[in-house]
């Protein structure tokens, strides 16, 4: 990899969801050279997947139009896996390795769904709620299929509404939060008229679909594919026949790259100052890694980070009030949809927790830390690198992953050879 042939950016943005797009747009408007990198085939992240092409989300279309700046070099299908030295990242594409050099870095790496193990959760057609939605957007036929949606958080309603629009039958939406919490959340929404409007639209789209609070999946049943799910509904069990179970227990921030770069992490989130700068100089962070807050917060944090990265702090500060309001909403979400302790009792002894290495709950229960379990059972050492079982064990046992090493994603052997040559 010749150094002169590799791209150099004034601002390099990792993550092409709303936060990353907003950061790239605002930085590019200041006339600097910007790179925007995402590992998906197209930009938009999970929330705007397919929206640029469909045109259904006018906010997504507007930001897509703004992204067409000639100052922005767009690199899709490119995954950062290592930092060989300060100011340099290595990224893997479909058939090559790129060396990305930068002066300022904005990390907008988004979040992923949290999965909690229960008997049958590895059954075919038991899927993440967002994952199933993404597959349907990519062409999976869902019309006429029975889909139970279960877990916690606003994502459940959005997924159920989308699947229903695509012709799926939704027998029930199961929300683990109790009715009292949801009622208080509804009252607090009166301070957010735009959220009330979104809620009313969802209510109309979900008309006739049962919504059960105090409810969660106990077990999934079937042979070669899913046939039914047993749920706990206000303390009573109920069996619901279904073809799919779309299940997600809120979101987990993607902070592996931030950890590798030495950014301070607290409570699972990246710590940033008022200008979205991390504890590492010239490294900024925006969106879900700083706090799960949805599109509105991601966009405003991305704009602040992009402006601050090019030194436009006065313009960035004008957005602080909008960010404060969005962050208040985040705190409401955290209080409303925090996971209840009963969910720790879901796994049976034989329930698989680490799907990559087939490690059961009973084997993990013998250990007292993530490191010990990893050394003795290989939990977290499979292809997902602990991205599924890590958050699950963190909730089940209060363990915390204690180290991140390169590559932060699985990489080809020839790509790792490039790491050796640069050192």
């Amino acid at each position: 990899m010749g150094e002169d042939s590799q791209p150099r950016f004034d601002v390099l943005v990792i993550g092409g969801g709303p936060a990353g797009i907003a950061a790239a747009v605002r930085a590019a408007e200041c006339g600097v050279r910007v790179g925007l990198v995402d590992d998906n085939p197209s930009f938009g992240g999970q929330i705007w997947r397919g929206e640029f092409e469909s045109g259904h989300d006018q906010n997504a279309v507007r930001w897509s139009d703004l992204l067409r700046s000639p100052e922005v070099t767009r690199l899709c299908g490119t995954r950062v896996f290592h930092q060989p030295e300060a100011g340099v990242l290595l990224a893997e594409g479909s058939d090559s390795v790129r060396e990305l050099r930068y002066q300022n870095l904005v990390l907008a790496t988004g979040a992923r769904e949290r999965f909690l193990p229960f008997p049958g959760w590895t059954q075919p057609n038991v899927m993440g709620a967002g994952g199933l939605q993404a597959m349907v957007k990519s062409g999976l036929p869902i019309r006429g299929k029975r889909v139970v949606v279960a877990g916690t958080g606003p994502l459940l309603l959005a997924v159920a509404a989308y699947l229903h629009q695509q012709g799926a039958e939704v027998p029930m939406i199961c929300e683990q939060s109790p009715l009292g919490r949801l009622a208080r959340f509804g009252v607090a929404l009166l301070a957010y008229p735009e959220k009330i409007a979104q809620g009313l639209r969802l209510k109309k789209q979900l008309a006739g679909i049962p919504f059960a609070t105090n409810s969660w999946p106990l077990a999934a049943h079937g042979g070669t594919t899913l046939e039914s799910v047993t749920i706990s509904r206000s303390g009573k069990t109920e069996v619901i026949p279904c073809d799919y179970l779309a299940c997600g227990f809120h979101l987990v921030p993607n902070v592996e790259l931030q950890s590798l770069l030495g950014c301070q992490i607290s409570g699972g989130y990246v710590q940033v100052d008022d200008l979205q700068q991390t504890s590492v100089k010239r490294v900024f962070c925006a969106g879900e890694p700083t706090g799960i807050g949805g599109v509105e917060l991601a966009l405003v944090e991305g704009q602040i980070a992009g402006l601050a990265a090019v030194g436009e702090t006065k313009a960035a500060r004008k957005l602080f009030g909008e960010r404060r309001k969005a962050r208040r909403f985040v705190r409401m979400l955290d209080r409303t949809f925090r996971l209840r302790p009963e969910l720790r009792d879901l796994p049976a002894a034989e329930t698989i927790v680490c799907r990559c290495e087939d490690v059961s709950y009973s084997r993990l229960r013998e250990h007292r830390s993530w490191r010990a379990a990893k050394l003795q059972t290989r939990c977290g050492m499979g292809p997902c690198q602990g991205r599924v079982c890590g958050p699950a064990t963190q909730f089940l046992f209060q363990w915390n992953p204690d180290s991140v090493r390169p590559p932060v994603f699985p990489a080809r052997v020839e790509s790792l050879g490039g790491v050796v040559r640069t050192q």
Side-chain angles (χ1 to χ4, degrees):
M1 293 181 294
E3 183 176 306
D4 292 338
S5 65
Q6 300 303 319
R8 297 170 179 268
F9 300 105
D10 298 300
V11 178
L12 178 63
V13 182
I14 309 299
I21 291 172
V25 166
R26 292 295 176 245
E29 288 174 347
C30 298
V32 302
R33 188 178 183 194
V34 178
L36 179 61
V37 178
D38 195 87
D39 58 354
N40 288 299
S42 59
F43 294 119
Q46 300 305 317
I47 192 68
W48 281 347
R49 183 188 296 270
E51 295 297 343
F52 290 172
E53 296 78 14
S54 69
H56 293 153
D57 189 322
Q58 291 304 308
N59 200 28
V61 172
R62 182 173 71 88
W63 282 100
S64 176
D65 291 341
L66 292 171
L67 190 60
R68 295 197 176 101
S69 165
E71 304 294 339
V72 180
T73 298
R74 293 176 284 184
L75 301 172
C76 290
T78 303
R79 174 176 284 180
V80 173
F81 65 90
H82 183 42
Q83 178 187 239
E85 60 184 271
V88 180
L89 295 176
L90 293 184
E92 186 180 77
S94 59
D95 56 4
S96 63
V97 176
R98 294 177 179 270
E99 189 178 88
L100 305 172
R101 295 180 172 270
Y102 62 88
Q103 284 191 320
N104 297 278
L105 181 65
V106 178
L107 300 173
T109 48
R112 59 189 183 272
E113 291 182 272
R114 184 196 303 273
F115 300 95
L116 295 183
F118 54 86
W121 78 293
T122 58
Q123 185 88 1
N125 288 358
V126 178
M127 308 175 72
L132 179 57
Q133 182 184 37
M135 291 184 68
V136 173
K137 286 184 177 182
S138 300
L140 177 71
I142 202 69
R143 183 169 296 277
K145 301 295 185 181
R146 300 164 299 176
V147 185
V148 173
V149 180
T152 197
L155 177 64
L156 298 185
L157 301 180
V159 168
Y162 177 80
L163 296 176
H164 185 56
Q165 288 175 340
Q166 302 306 308
E169 176 189 340
V170 182
M172 186 171 293
I173 302 170
C174 301
E175 166 59 60
Q176 62 94 40
S177 287
L179 181 59
R181 272 199 230 156
L182 295 173
R184 289 190 292 274
F185 180 69
V187 172
L189 281 181
L190 294 174
Y192 299 84
E194 69 282 2
K195 299 294 184 184
I196 292 288
Q198 292 175 14
L200 291 175
R201 285 195 296 272
L202 279 174
K203 183 178 180 181
K204 183 177 179 181
Q205 294 167 1
L206 296 170
I209 296 176
F211 178 80
T213 61
N214 281 307
S215 301
W216 55 87
L218 294 174
H221 315 283
T224 57
T225 189
L226 181 67
E227 296 174 3
S228 64
V229 57
T230 299
I231 67 165
S232 172
R233 184 177 184 182
S234 297
K236 298 181 179 179
T237 59
E238 183 176 341
V239 178
I240 305 175
C242 59
D243 302 297
Y244 288 92
L245 171 58
C247 198
F249 291 89
H250 212 22
L251 300 174
V252 180
N254 295 321
V255 298
E256 290 79 10
L257 183 55
Q258 290 87 335
S259 295
L260 182 68
L261 270 58
C263 301
Q264 183 178 349
I265 312 290
S266 178
Y269 297 111
V270 180
Q271 300 303 292
V272 294
D273 64 14
D274 286 346
L275 292 170
Q276 301 294 139
Q277 184 167 230
T278 71
S279 58
V280 180
K281 189 176 181 181
R282 294 185 177 276
V283 176
F284 300 80
C285 189
E288 311 291 39
T290 69
I292 305 300
V295 174
E296 291 82 2
L297 180 58
L299 286 171
V300 69
E301 285 191 352
Q303 293 178 77
I304 291 171
L307 290 167
V310 296
E312 294 291 337
T313 57
K314 185 176 180 180
R317 291 182 186 281
K318 291 180 180 179
L319 297 168
F320 283 9
E322 185 178 345
R323 184 181 59 188
R324 278 194 299 271
K325 184 177 180 181
R327 284 180 173 174
R328 286 197 296 271
F329 183 71
V330 172
R331 291 192 288 271
M332 286 168 47
L333 287 178
D334 289 342
R335 288 193 301 269
T336 304
F337 299 106
R338 66 180 181 272
L339 299 182
R340 56 199 305 152
E342 295 98 315
L343 299 177
R344 293 193 176 96
D345 300 325
L346 288 179
E350 67 276 9
T351 300
I352 295 295
V353 175
C354 176
R355 301 176 68 155
C356 297
E357 298 292 331
D358 289 335
V359 183
S360 67
Y361 178 75
S362 60
R363 291 179 63 195
L364 293 174
R365 197 169 48 190
E366 299 171 2
H367 303 286
R368 303 185 67 176
S369 70
W370 170 258
R371 180 181 289 272
K374 192 173 183 180
L375 290 172
Q376 299 298 321
T377 70
R378 290 187 54 83
C379 178
M381 297 182 69
C384 89
Q385 292 291 284
R387 284 174 172 80
V388 175
C389 61
T393 58
Q394 191 171 22
F395 175 71
L396 293 173
F397 306 112
Q398 289 79 59
W399 293 345
N400 287 305
D402 47 18
S403 65
V404 175
R405 298 183 179 89
V408 291
F409 288 99
R412 296 187 298 267
V413 171
E414 57 265 36
S415 300
L416 298 177
V419 175
V420 175
R421 289 195 296 273
T422 62
Q423 293 179 336

